[in-house]
Amino acid sequence: MPVVNMHDMLQHAHREGYAVGAFDLVSLDFLQGILAAAENCRAPVILSLAESHFEYFDFTTIMPAVEAAAKRASVPVAIHLDHGASFESAVQGIRLGCNGVMVDASTHPFEANVARTREVVDMAHNCGIPVEGELGYVAGVEGEDAERHPGEVRYTEVAEAKAYVEQSGVDFLAVSIGTVHGRMKGEPKLDFARLGEINQGLCIPLVIHGGTGLSDDQFRQLIENGVAKINYYTALADAAGQCIRDNAGKDSNCGYTGLVSGVAQAIQNETERCIKLWGGEGRADEVLASAAAQREIEHVIFYNTKGIDKDKVEELMRIGHDSLGKIPGVRRVFTGHALTQDARFKHCWVIKFSDESVVESYKNHPDHVAYADTHFRPVAGDRISIDFESAD
Ligand code: 13P
């Protein structure tokens, strides 16, 4: 099953009146539990990786597993960078396989929020990747007691929301209407009138952060008022924590595998409860029919060099590897020599792009233009270049 375009996925949810869960994962138990829940419910799902959690796992190491599991799933999946702090975070997320990114500039004043978000939007759209921005401020810390991190909740202003979306170009808007990240005492008061006005003014999928602790009725009203993506983490972490405490209580000598036994199942149970509550159950086939698959491209160049020795060829490759690999939308750079002496071409580049739109943005990127004009083309006149899409 392909990873599907997150814009299409959330447009479907917004149109049809349900919300897709964006479940933050911090380990393979989370990955397995969340995907098993989505498959059991035949629901679309978003695997979400929050930058604030990168102290608990290595983002670069976990992403190949996340991507492989997503591609193997029998339901439509999107992979999202949650609370990306910077332009560089977004570029890295896309490189590692995220097909949706959030840029969180919500602590900045309006103009600075728009400017930082716009920069990410322009880059990400060139890579075929949709962007979530946040206006207003949702306080708290995922996985902790909300009251330990009171912060200042700033509600999203209705008038500002329209200007923010127009000026920043975001595809989805995270709104602040009274939720907080983390564990809450009692039920938060949500401003549904404000949410309804924002929804009517914008008509784009809205996002709620701080899903943990809301009542069934609050979820229903959120979705009725345009929320198509709900971020959820603390309750999954608490279910996992309870499972580990129970295991320790039953056998105080048990080792790691004994302690974490059943954790994936506990996460699955809570994820399934949410998916059913938010209306995603049974939607997988409709989403697959209406959402484009994320189409990665292999940009392939075969070439021979003229007028440079072996060391210079190696240097040409090294310089290209370093500079081309940093261009947004480039996921991997392979450069190599033909194994056989009589090959028509002696060398190649195989460069993986996140999406077809990168063919154009890569070609025009200043780092590519500089490398091609200064280093590559003068010595590699004998070459062919072809972009391939996957036949899977
Ligand atoms: P909770 O941890 O409160 O569920 O919020 C998660 C979240 O909003 C992640 O972005």
Side-chain angles (χ1 to χ4, degrees):
M1 193 69 45
V3 170
V4 305
N5 182 290
M6 196 168 132
H7 182 271
D8 295 349
M9 178 193 266
L10 290 186
Q11 284 293 340
H12 183 268
H14 195 239
R15 218 169 38 240
E16 297 295 323
Y18 68 95
V20 180
F23 300 99
D24 280 326
L25 61 92
V26 292
S27 74
L28 294 184
D29 276 329
F30 278 71
L31 176 62
Q32 285 161 19
I34 293 163
L35 281 179
E39 291 190 312
N40 244 4
C41 295
R42 298 291 310 145
V45 73
I46 297 171
L47 300 172
S48 189
L49 294 109
E51 191 164 344
S52 56
H53 288 157
F54 291 178
E55 60 184 298
Y56 307 123
F57 60 85
D58 181 46
F59 186 38
T60 311
T61 305
I62 208 169
M63 277 303 286
V66 170
E67 201 179 4
K71 284 182 172 164
R72 235 183 13 234
S74 63
V75 292
V77 180
I79 305 171
H80 187 62
L81 173 70
D82 190 20
H83 292 289
S86 64
F87 182 84
E88 291 73 26
S89 309
V91 173
Q92 187 200 27
I94 293 168
R95 176 170 308 119
L96 293 177
C98 292
N99 73 330
V101 292
M102 178 193 187
V103 49
D104 184 354
S106 61
T107 52
H108 294 274
F110 181 84
E111 284 76 19
N113 185 350
V114 167
R116 283 170 168 255
T117 306
R118 179 85 240 178
E119 197 190 5
V120 172
V121 167
D122 288 341
M123 178 278 294
H125 283 182
N126 274 338
C127 303
I129 305 291
V131 177
E132 172 186 335
E134 178 169 327
L135 185 65
Y137 180 63
V138 176
V141 173
E142 298 90 341
E144 299 194 12
D145 290 329
E147 58 193 7
R148 284 181 52 209
H149 302 275
E152 184 213 345
V153 180
R154 260 186 300 106
Y155 285 75
T156 307
E157 297 296 337
V158 179
E160 273 189 357
K162 206 166 165 33
Y164 176 80
V165 169
E166 277 169 12
Q167 291 172 31
S168 68
V170 292
D171 304 85
F172 327 117
L173 180 67
V175 292
S176 173
I177 56 147
T179 60
V180 293
H181 294 107
R183 231 170 276 120
M184 292 214 50
K185 259 204 183 130
E187 202 177 273
K189 285 209 170 3
L190 303 187
D191 190 341
F192 291 112
R194 182 186 296 264
L195 180 65
E197 279 185 64
I198 295 170
N199 186 38
Q200 273 167 18
L202 295 184
C203 297
I204 63 167
L206 301 178
V207 180
I208 279 293
H209 284 249
T212 295
L214 303 182
S215 70
D216 294 6
D217 189 54
Q218 286 179 320
F219 281 127
R220 186 184 53 71
Q221 290 192 64
L222 288 173
I223 294 165
E224 269 175 20
N225 285 292
V227 169
K229 172 175 179 278
I230 297 175
N231 285 27
Y232 204 76
Y233 169 70
T234 303
L236 301 186
D238 285 351
Q242 188 57 50
C243 179
I244 291 170
R245 279 190 296 278
D246 290 348
N247 288 336
K250 279 185 225 139
D251 175 3
S252 60
N253 284 325
C254 69
Y256 175 77
T257 50
L259 283 173
V260 298
S261 149
V263 162
Q265 184 64 54
I267 291 166
Q268 179 181 339
N269 295 346
E270 177 60 9
T271 306
E272 279 189 29
R273 188 186 75 81
C274 292
I275 287 173
K276 288 175 183 162
L277 191 57
W278 303 341
E281 189 174 28
R283 299 286 189 169
D285 293 336
E286 293 164 51
V287 173
L288 282 171
S290 68
Q294 194 69 40
R295 280 171 70 225
E296 288 168 337
I297 300 295
E298 296 286 356
H299 175 66
V300 183
I301 301 173
F302 297 111
Y303 66 100
N304 291 317
T305 56
K306 201 170 170 189
I308 55 173
D309 63 16
K310 203 165 160 285
D311 289 348
K312 284 278 177 211
V313 172
E314 296 295 338
E315 190 182 309
L316 182 73
M317 289 177 159
R318 189 179 43 72
I319 295 171
H321 202 283
D322 288 352
S323 70
L324 303 177
K326 294 194 184 89
I327 294 175
V330 170
R331 297 208 47 205
R332 188 224 329 106
V333 178
F334 171 89
T335 180
H337 308 287
L339 279 177
T340 50
Q341 291 299 315
D342 57 349
R344 161 73 181 88
F345 290 101
K346 301 282 182 286
H347 317 289
C348 78
W349 293 104
V350 184
I351 304 177
K352 188 196 199 69
F353 294 157
S354 62
D355 181 79
E356 192 179 341
S357 44
V358 181
V359 172
E360 211 43 38
S361 58
Y362 171 86
K363 194 166 74 192
N364 299 322
H365 192 280
D367 291 350
H368 171 257
V369 173
Y371 176 72
D373 289 351
T374 313
H375 297 283
F376 186 64
R377 287 178 187 143
V379 295
D382 182 21
R383 64 177 188 272
I384 54 168
S385 167
I386 305 173
D387 295 303
F388 291 91
E389 62 174 315
S390 165
D392 294 346

